[in-house]
């Protein structure tokens, strides 16, 4: 898969994972796992990039005597998800075009 496309999809997946409730890294990985496999070494640069683009904020909280970073989606992050949803139909159209069966192909098979 094209790295830029995958990067954009993973960004939206991470935002969707924290859309309804604040969460931390390990929990985000667990929440995304049924849909896409993502490692810690992939997740944390995504979180930093989303924080830099103001799509999420970070709040350290103590948990069992250790600081844990909780991520909270911002209005910009919610808009990013909405943009993805509106662009999805174009992606589906491109997929349908690329995977279509030509009438010549059908006649040859």
């Amino acid at each position: 898969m094209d790295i830029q496309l995958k990067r954009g999809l993973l960004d939206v997946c991470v935002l969707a994972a924290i859309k309804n409730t604040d969460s931390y890294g390990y929990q985000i990985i667990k929440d995304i796992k049924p849909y896409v496999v993502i490692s810690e070494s992939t997740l944390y640069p995504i979180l930093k990039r989303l924080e830099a683009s103001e799509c999420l904020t970070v709040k350290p909280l103590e948990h069992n005597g250790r600081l844990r970073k909780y991520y909270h989606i911002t209005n910009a992050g919610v808009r990013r998800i909405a943009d993805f949803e509106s662009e999805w139909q174009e992606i589906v159209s491109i997929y349908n075009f690329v995977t279509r069966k030509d009438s010549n192909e059908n006649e040859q098979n």
Side-chain angles (χ1 to χ4, degrees):
M1 177 181 285
D2 177 75
I3 190 72
Q4 293 300 326
L5 176 59
K6 188 170 185 174
R7 176 184 286 180
L9 292 172
L10 290 176
D11 286 2
V12 173
C13 286
V14 169
L15 290 170
I18 63 171
K19 181 177 170 183
N20 296 320
T21 185
D22 295 355
S23 193
Y24 55 96
Y26 181 70
Q27 185 63 49
I28 293 169
I29 290 171
K30 282 178 42 179
D31 291 343
I32 292 174
K33 188 177 182 178
Y35 308 99
V36 63
V37 176
I38 186 170
S39 67
E40 288 182 35
S41 62
T42 300
L43 176 64
Y44 288 103
I46 291 170
L47 290 168
K48 286 186 180 294
R49 186 170 56 249
L50 291 171
E51 182 182 12
S53 65
E54 299 180 347
C55 288
L56 58 80
T57 57
V58 182
K59 181 178 179 179
L61 293 174
E62 189 174 325
H63 177 77
N64 292 335
R66 295 179 53 191
L67 281 183
R68 179 185 279 174
K69 290 182 179 180
Y70 281 83
Y71 299 92
H72 175 80
I73 194 166
T74 63
N75 289 336
V78 172
R79 282 192 304 275
R80 180 96 177 261
I81 292 172
D83 290 346
F84 171 79
E85 290 171 351
S86 67
E87 294 167 355
W88 184 247
Q89 285 307 314
E90 183 178 2
I91 294 169
V92 169
S93 292
I94 292 167
Y95 172 82
N96 289 335
F97 173 74
V98 170
T99 60
R100 78 187 187 289
K101 299 289 183 197
D102 291 334
S103 58
N104 291 338
E105 248 182 68
N106 291 335
E107 291 173 10
Q108 292 173 359
N109 293 328

